[in-house]
């Protein structure tokens, strides 16, 4: 039985990569991801982790090195945040379109300007369409577990895709939590060795990244889309299997105290923990409020979402990013689109909040939920409202 | 680009369905570019007047696509499957034996 101990989440994430027996790590340090890659560098330097650590001059190079490593069939890990993720941007599309499994933890942080090292989801939402499998975690244990799951999901022959594990910068990366690091032998049982079907190999040459003329590009993109959609089955299967080995099971949308609730709040990442406390308090006051925690962001869990909201009247969605000049937060827009064709659907009320590290307290969530209920009844002058802004 | 197994069944050149594409659109058979129709975007095509041609070979050497080849009679003719319609052959031909014709005609 694995021991439960107090660990900084970043350190535990690095340990999870080590337990997954990664072959190559290439990363460029950026706050608040730094402790993850520093600890990995230490583990490699100390001889505890038998892996190649490739130091690079930028995140663009880090992702490029990871693409190369994955192309030869190496189990590859990296981590970044905010501006670093943006600098990787063009290579992210290459990694997914060329079907290179790797796991990247993103220590979610606000994008400049103004410079902010603190957390929100603007970095994650900017890479929404890059073709990666994307999972949001709400605490350190989930981060550890989903790094390990990420390798199993991405490396599955039916998938062969890179996986992003989003964990909130500082709110998760820099806190010490009680975490159960799995036993190495159990991880080995859960995670088979990586065997890439078409690696770069002088004995069997292949051309990767050739020109795709108009006659083939559409077919390639459709194959990529279907592949990512179908990856959901493997995500579900891997989470189930993880549960059998380690006793913790995950689902695309986790429901918290939703029984009998007519109003639900939907959150992502670490703010779900505070939101749960707010829901507890409101339930204690006799209000039928529940919480949905969206964990699987790509591929989007349409079926699970529609099922989760089929009996409710109001769904309040909190986005931690702004789609400037658009219809509201990206998550809320997608949820509205996903429910549009449903015969019976709840009113969807969008809030943007928690930007650039702005905290939302338990009382704050309560206030937001109450305002959401009020908007559902009386309407709002805006497509979405922002929570906690000073006039 | 094509999955190796598609070799068994004849596939129209460059017209693979999305299920037939190799992972990552990798190319597993060297030299498959000969199967790819690169001449599908030209707006003008070269037409050779064999009465004017004196087999000087200049079009053969100037063609940047390498799609002009000697036929059995020793004349030089472009392969329109690959020809991109650049018109260099027509410009360089010292006998004005090659003219460029609109594809639509």
């Amino acid at each position: 039985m694995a021991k439960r101990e107090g660990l900084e989440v970043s350190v535990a994430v690095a340990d999870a990569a080590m337990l997954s027996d990664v072959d190559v790590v290439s990363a460029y340090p950026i706050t608040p991801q730094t402790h993850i890659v520093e600890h990995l560098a230490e583990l490699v330097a100390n001889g505890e982790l038998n892996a190649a650590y490739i130091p690079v001059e930028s995140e663009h190079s880090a992702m490029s090195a990871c693409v190369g490593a994955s192309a030869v069939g190496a189990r590859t890990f990296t981590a970044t945040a905010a501006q670093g993720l943006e600098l990787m941007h063009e290579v992210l599309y290459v990694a997914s379109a060329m079907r290179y499994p790797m796991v990247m933890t993103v220590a979610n942080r606000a994008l400049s300007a103004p410079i902010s090292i603190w957390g929100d989801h603007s970095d994650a939402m900017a890479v929404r369409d890059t073709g990666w499998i994307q999972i949001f975690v709400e605490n350190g244990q989930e981060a550890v577990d989903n790094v390990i799951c990420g390798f199993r999901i991405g490396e599955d022959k039916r998938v062969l895709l890179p996986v992003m594990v989003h964990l909130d910068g500082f709110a998760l990366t820099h806190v010490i939590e009680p975490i159960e690091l799995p036993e190495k032998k159990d991880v080995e049982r859960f995670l088979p060795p990586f065997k890439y079907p078409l690696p770069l190999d002088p004995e069997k040459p292949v051309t990767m990244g050739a020109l795709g003329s108009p006659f083939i590009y559409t077919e390639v993109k459709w194959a990529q889309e279907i592949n990512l959609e179908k990856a959901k089955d493997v995500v579900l299967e891997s989470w189930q299997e993880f549960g059998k080995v380690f006793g913790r099971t995950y689902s695309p949308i986790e429901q918290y105290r939703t029984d009998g609730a007519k109003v639900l709040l939907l959150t992502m990442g670490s703010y779900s923990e505070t939101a749960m406390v707010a829901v507890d308090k409101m339930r204690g006051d006799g209000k039928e409020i529940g919480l949905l925690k969206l964990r699987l962001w790509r591929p989007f869990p349409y079926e699970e979402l529609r099922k989760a909201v089929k009996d409710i009247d109001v769904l309040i969605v909190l986005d931690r990013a702004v789609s400037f000049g658009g219809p509201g937060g990206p998550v809320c827009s997608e949820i509205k689109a996903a429910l549009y064709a449903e015969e019976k659907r709840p009113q969807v009320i969008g809030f943007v909040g928690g930007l650039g590290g702005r905290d939302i307290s338990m009382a704050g969530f309560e206030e937001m939920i109450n305002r959401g209920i009020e908007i559902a009844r009386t309407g709002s002058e805006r497509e979405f409202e922002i929570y906690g802004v000073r006039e | 680009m094509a999955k190796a197994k598609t070799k068994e069944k004849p596939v129209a050149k460059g017209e693979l369905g999305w299920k037939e594409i190799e992972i990552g659109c990798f190319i597993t058979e060297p030299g498959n570019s000969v199967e790819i129709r690169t001449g599908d975007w030209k707006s003008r095509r070269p037409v050779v007047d064999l009465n004017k041609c004196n087999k000087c070979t200049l079009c053969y050497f100037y063609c940047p696509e390498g799609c002009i080849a000697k036929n059995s009679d020793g004349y030089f003719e472009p392969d329109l499957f690959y020809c991109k319609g650049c018109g260099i052959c027509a410009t360089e031909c010292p006998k004005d034996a090659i003219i460029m014709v609109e594809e639509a005609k």
Side-chain angles (χ1 to χ4, degrees):
Chain A
M1 181 77 189
K3 204 172 72 186
R4 201 168 141 92
E5 55 185 325
L7 284 172
E8 189 191 288
V9 173
S10 286
V11 171
V13 162
D15 286 341
M18 180 172 71
L19 282 167
S20 305
D21 198 20
V22 293
D23 301 310
V24 174
V25 178
S26 185
Y28 190 82
I30 180 169
T31 302
Q33 150 269 35
T34 324
H35 292 185
I36 300 173
V37 294
E38 276 179 358
H39 189 53
L40 276 163
E42 250 169 31
L43 293 169
V44 172
N46 293 346
E48 289 173 73
L49 171 59
N50 182 20
Y53 191 101
I54 308 175
V56 283
E57 75 282 18
S58 76
E59 285 86 356
H60 190 281
S61 301
M63 186 41 61
S64 301
C66 288
V67 160
S70 192
V72 297
R75 181 169 286 162
T76 305
F77 180 84
T78 186
T80 190
Q83 310 309 121
L85 189 61
E86 285 297 277
L87 190 50
M88 283 182 179
H89 200 97
E90 60 159 325
V91 195
L92 298 177
Y93 285 87
V94 175
S96 60
M98 289 171 71
R99 308 278 299 276
Y100 296 137
M102 64 184 80
V103 172
M104 169 159 69
T105 48
V106 180
N108 297 125
R109 165 185 151 180
L111 293 174
S112 299
I115 295 174
S116 166
I117 56 168
W118 296 275
D120 72 25
H121 293 166
S122 50
D123 55 358
M125 293 305 150
V127 298
R128 181 185 67 170
D129 299 336
T130 53
W132 286 53
I133 291 171
Q134 301 192 42
I135 297 166
F136 278 79
V137 299
E138 74 174 66
N139 58 43
Q141 188 67 59
E142 287 195 15
V144 165
D145 293 352
N146 280 288
V147 165
I148 298 166
C149 283
F151 285 112
R152 174 161 164 149
I153 294 163
E155 293 171 5
D156 189 291
K157 286 208 169 38
R158 295 164 289 173
V159 178
L160 296 173
L161 285 172
V163 178
M164 270 183 223
V165 178
H166 294 285
L167 67 155
D168 285 320
F170 292 113
L172 288 184
T173 54
H174 285 57
V175 297
I176 293 171
E177 289 189 1
I179 290 173
E180 189 181 299
L181 272 185
E183 297 279 357
K184 176 86 178 159
K185 61 173 173 40
D186 292 332
V187 176
E188 281 169 5
R189 189 149 62 94
F190 173 74
L191 185 61
F194 177 36
K195 201 166 178 338
Y196 193 62
L198 276 175
L200 285 176
D201 177 1
E203 299 297 316
K204 201 183 164 218
V206 293
T207 302
M208 296 172 169
L211 186 77
S213 298
F215 75 85
I216 199 76
Y217 192 85
T218 305
E219 283 70 24
V220 175
K221 290 297 119 179
W222 188 244
Q224 187 181 349
E225 167 60 17
I226 299 296
N227 175 243
L228 180 55
E229 285 178 15
K230 283 188 172 168
K232 200 184 91 181
D233 294 340
V234 179
V235 174
L236 300 182
E237 190 185 296
S238 301
W239 275 340
Q240 287 295 321
E241 198 56 35
F242 188 88
K244 282 184 204 157
V245 179
F246 300 100
R248 291 180 295 277
T249 307
Y250 295 104
S251 57
I253 296 181
E254 195 175 309
Q255 308 197 17
Y256 182 74
R257 302 194 75 171
T258 55
D259 284 351
K262 289 289 168 197
V263 177
L264 296 181
L265 171 70
L266 185 140
T267 53
M268 289 163 99
S270 64
Y271 279 28
S272 302
E273 302 250 313
T274 318
M276 281 196 288
V277 185
V279 166
D280 285 344
K281 175 174 183 269
M282 294 179 84
R283 282 278 183 171
D285 296 343
K287 291 176 182 160
E288 288 174 335
I289 309 288
L291 179 68
L292 296 180
K293 302 185 266 186
L294 183 56
R295 185 177 287 120
L296 184 62
W297 175 230
R298 284 293 183 276
F300 190 85
Y302 288 100
E303 203 183 314
E304 289 83 353
L305 173 76
R306 288 171 185 146
K307 206 171 150 203
V309 303
K310 71 177 171 26
D311 295 324
I312 66 163
D313 299 328
V314 181
L315 178 63
I316 301 161
V317 179
L318 171 65
D319 264 283
R320 292 188 63 197
V322 188
S323 169
F324 295 104
V331 182
C332 188
S333 304
E334 290 204 11
I335 284 172
K336 282 180 178 172
L339 300 178
Y340 183 75
E342 298 298 289
E343 242 171 67
K344 182 184 175 301
R345 58 171 192 261
Q347 282 197 68
V348 181
I349 312 293
F351 284 98
V352 166
L355 299 181
R358 179 72 63 87
D359 194 29
I360 302 178
S361 64
M362 185 196 77
F365 274 106
E366 194 178 350
E367 194 185 333
M368 191 193 306
I369 292 167
N370 285 332
R371 173 66 189 145
I373 294 168
E374 189 183 331
I375 295 171
R377 206 171 44 234
T378 62
S380 171
E381 288 170 4
R382 298 190 42 87
E383 286 289 323
F384 69 98
E385 294 192 358
I386 186 157
Y387 172 76
V389 74
R390 287 184 299 274
E391 288 297 327
Chain B
M1 216 164 272
K3 284 181 183 171
K5 66 172 184 186
T6 60
K7 213 178 174 183
E8 295 155 22
K9 128 179 134 146
V11 174
K13 284 183 177 180
E15 286 165 18
L16 297 170
W18 67 270
K19 289 177 187 168
E20 295 168 306
I21 294 162
E22 188 53 87
I23 58 159
C25 200
F26 297 168
I27 295 168
T28 52
E29 294 163 44
N32 80 338
S33 58
V34 294
E35 294 172 16
I36 309 302
R37 185 193 295 277
T38 48
D40 66 347
W41 65 66
K42 59 178 165 293
S43 56
R44 297 182 307 153
R45 68 174 184 275
V47 174
V48 187
D49 181 350
L50 298 185
N51 292 323
K52 290 185 182 173
C53 174
N54 67 353
K55 305 177 182 174
C56 74
T57 74
L58 279 181
C59 60
Y60 171 84
F61 284 111
Y62 273 110
C63 175
E65 194 60 31
C67 74
I68 295 178
K70 203 197 283 196
N71 68 18
S72 52
D73 297 327
Y75 289 105
F76 289 86
E77 284 182 319
D79 184 339
L80 298 180
F81 189 79
Y82 305 113
C83 170
K84 296 190 175 81
C86 70
I88 289 176
C89 56
T91 303
E92 296 298 334
C93 178
K95 305 298 285 183
D96 293 330
I98 304 174
I99 54 162
M100 297 304 287
V101 176
E102 292 292 327
E103 269 290 68
K105 287 176 186 164

